[in-house]
Amino acid sequence: MIKEVTIIRTKEKQRQTLQDVVAIEEPLEIQLETGPENQRNIQSLSVTMRTPGNDEELAVGFLFTEALITSQKNLATPPSSVPAENKIIVRLHENFDAQLDKVKRNFYTTSSCGVCGKESIEAIHQVCNIQPERKRIIIPVAVISRLPEQLYKVQKTFASTGGIHAAALFTFNGDLVSFREDVGRHNALDKVIGAAFLEQETSLFRLDQVILLLSGRASFELIQKAAMAGIKVVCAIGAPSSLAVETAASFDMTLIGFLKNTSSNIYCGEQRIKL
């Protein structure tokens, strides 16, 4: 979503009044409804700054990557939003224990917390349901190199504003499966994971048969979310952080950074890329 604004453009000591567009950023309060049918309780879980749209996907994607839900069976009904109030309610099944102590995010730390990388990675392993690869993954590097251009073609909001992130899922043949945009890179990833979560009606949700492409850099938190979803191949147009590389290697993931149509850096998991 975009908003039109009036700007003053300066160039070579000249000024000009023009109309421009910017990406919308608004808060979203995620609420949880829990408890038995006759004693339901609603509590605020989190407030995130996001680009409005796909809020249901954002909410369930956030809950899944925070290890609070594992499948659609944990939901009583589909999430419902109140756009005018920037709120969304996720109703959990009455017999499901969400273990809300995890809301404190004490099972992992972001790279800004100053905790050592080893502790952060071990914390993720405690909650991540790691499954063996269903089949050997081999992806030609030519397929990988085409992904950024395909994402650029569908990024309408980025094309008009230049100020928004995207996360996209591709098949191993390089076909676009889905993508989402948001002012927050973590929101974009939660949205694309949440969309797949709402479509996949299985007891064990996993995305190990797709490639994840990030429009910016690969931070630790994004690799953590990908690991939670079982994603084995992550590509980023920007740079990875040191903890992102360590986390990807720990989960036997393939991590590619600085992805262009002519070059890329493979940081780990090179066995899945055919040169």
Side-chain angles (χ1 to χ4, degrees), residues 37-190:
E37 186 175 349
N38 59 345
Q39 292 181 333
R40 301 291 280 178
N41 176 57
I42 297 179
Q43 65 183 93
S44 178
L45 175 67
S46 174
V47 176
T48 184
M49 301 302 296
R50 96 305 187 194
T51 300
N54 308 108
D55 290 339
E56 294 81 3
E57 299 168 355
L58 171 59
V60 297
F62 173 78
L63 292 177
F64 174 78
T65 58
E66 293 289 330
L68 292 174
I69 59 176
T70 58
S71 75
Q72 283 195 46
K73 294 181 179 179
N74 304 147
L75 305 178
T77 60
S80 59
S81 61
V82 186
E85 299 180 11
N86 281 324
K87 291 183 181 180
I88 187 165
I89 300 176
V90 181
R91 297 177 173 85
L92 300 183
H93 194 280
E94 60 177 335
N95 297 324
F96 176 67
D97 180 10
Q99 301 182 34
L100 295 182
D101 57 311
K102 292 180 181 177
V103 175
K104 299 177 181 178
R105 299 165 70 92
N106 57 1
F107 62 92
Y108 81 90
T109 55
T110 65
S111 56
S112 63
C113 292
V115 178
C116 79
K118 182 179 179 181
E119 290 182 5
S120 302
I121 296 170
E122 288 179 350
I124 303 172
H125 273 281
Q126 294 174 14
V127 297
C128 186
N129 186 8
I130 303 174
Q131 298 291 320
E133 287 186 45
R134 286 180 276 189
K135 62 180 180 180
R136 189 183 181 196
I137 300 172
I138 300 294
I139 306 171
V141 70
V143 170
I144 298 293
S145 65
R146 293 196 302 265
L147 302 185
E149 183 179 358
Q150 293 187 65
L151 180 57
Y152 288 144
K153 288 180 180 179
V154 296
Q155 273 194 273
K156 305 298 184 182
T157 308
F158 176 80
S160 59
T161 68
I164 203 160
H165 297 281
L169 300 179
F170 292 85
T171 69
F172 294 152
N173 293 323
D175 298 322
L176 179 65
V177 177
S178 64
F179 81 100
R180 295 293 184 269
E181 291 181 295
D182 199 280
V183 288
R185 56 172 59 90
H186 58 289
N187 288 340
L189 182 51
D190 278 340

Side-chain angles (χ1 to χ4, degrees), residues 184-202:
R185 56 172 59 90
H186 58 289
N187 288 340
L189 182 51
D190 278 340
K191 284 181 178 181
V192 83
I193 291 176
F197 182 92
L198 291 172
E199 292 177 356
Q200 197 174 115
E201 297 180 0
T202 59

